[in-house]
Structure formats: C-alpha cells, structure tokens
Amino acid sequence: MKESILREKAEAFSVRVIKMSQYLVKEKHEYVMSNQVLRSGTSVSANLAEAQFAQSPADFISKLSVAQKEANETYMWLRHIWNGDYITEVQFKSMETDVLELLRMLSSSIITLRSKRSESPTNH
C-alpha cells in the first residue's frame, strides 16, 4: 500500500516537473536546467514503475535507491533554478515540499526494506 501512495505522489510530481519545464522553456527561454530537472524529476516515477517488476528484493531496493538519487538531484536543480531567479520563492517552496516528501518516503521505504531483509532467516 505504501509503495502505491509513493508511486502516485511520484507521478503527480512528474506532471508538475513537466509543466515547470515547459514554463521555463516557453516563458524564461531556459533550456539546460529545464531539461536536467525534467530528466531527473520524471526519472523518480520511472524508477518506481521499474521497481514494480523487480527481479528480486535486492533489485527492488536498488530501484528505490535510484529513485531516491534522482529525487535528490531534482531538488538540487530546483534550488539552482530558484537561485537563478527563474521561479519565484512561492513556486520553489511548493516544489520543495513535494520533493522533500518524496525523499522522506523513499528513505523510509528503503530503510524498512533493508531492515526486513536483514531480519530474514535466509540472510543469516
């Protein structure tokens, strides 16, 4: 259930990133950072979709870890875009809230899954 909520939030975040990227290109004529944030921001939900059909528990954790790295990269690009005055503080704070929530959820899921794996009798 938790991963389903995580996937839904990641997909909604991807849509926001896509729209922000379109705004940056059309209104601000910014192409490099808009492409970078587009790639990393949509990669979060793409990796969660891949995790759905992971080949093993380790592969599942790996996909979540990649999604976590992509969310962190997206956060970095959002800070650069805001610091470069391409978006307002209000726009940044709204996106920041979403990406930090994704990072917390991903971190929590990864920690829980790793803990369960280490407690498993097959891993002793």
Side-chain angles (χ1 to χ4, degrees):
M1 180 72 143
K2 187 174 186 180
E3 277 70 31
S4 176
I5 294 167
L6 179 57
R7 279 194 310 268
E8 288 174 18
K9 288 186 178 288
E11 288 174 14
F13 183 71
S14 288
V15 171
R16 291 195 71 199
V17 167
I18 290 166
K19 290 179 180 182
M20 184 186 70
S21 180
Q22 291 170 337
Y23 164 79
L24 290 170
V25 169
K26 289 178 185 175
E27 301 298 324
K28 300 292 185 172
H29 306 287
E30 200 306 304
Y31 302 95
V32 176
M33 289 186 291
S34 64
N35 186 52
Q36 293 288 52
V37 76
L38 177 66
R39 292 168 59 103
S40 63
T42 57
S43 181
V44 176
S45 63
N47 277 286
L48 291 174
E50 285 186 41
Q52 187 176 0
F53 293 101
Q55 297 174 344
S56 66
D59 186 37
F60 185 79
I61 293 169
S62 177
K63 298 295 184 201
L64 263 62
S65 296
V66 172
Q68 181 185 42
K69 290 176 187 179
E70 294 293 338
N72 192 55
E73 179 183 342
T74 302
Y75 185 34
M76 185 262 326
W77 285 118
L78 289 170
R79 289 191 311 269
H80 288 332
I81 291 165
W82 175 50
N83 289 326
D85 293 324
Y86 289 102
I87 57 175
T88 66
E89 183 175 4
V90 170
Q91 291 168 319
F92 169 73
K93 292 294 184 186
S94 177
M95 295 294 285
E96 180 184 45
T97 298
D98 287 354
V99 76
L100 290 177
E101 181 181 25
L102 285 171
L103 282 165
R104 281 190 297 275
M105 291 177 76
L106 286 161
S107 294
S108 176
S109 295
I110 292 165
I111 289 167
T112 300
L113 290 166
R114 285 182 177 155
S115 175
K116 286 181 181 179
R117 285 195 72 215
S118 67
E119 294 171 2
S120 172
T122 59
N123 289 329
H124 292 284

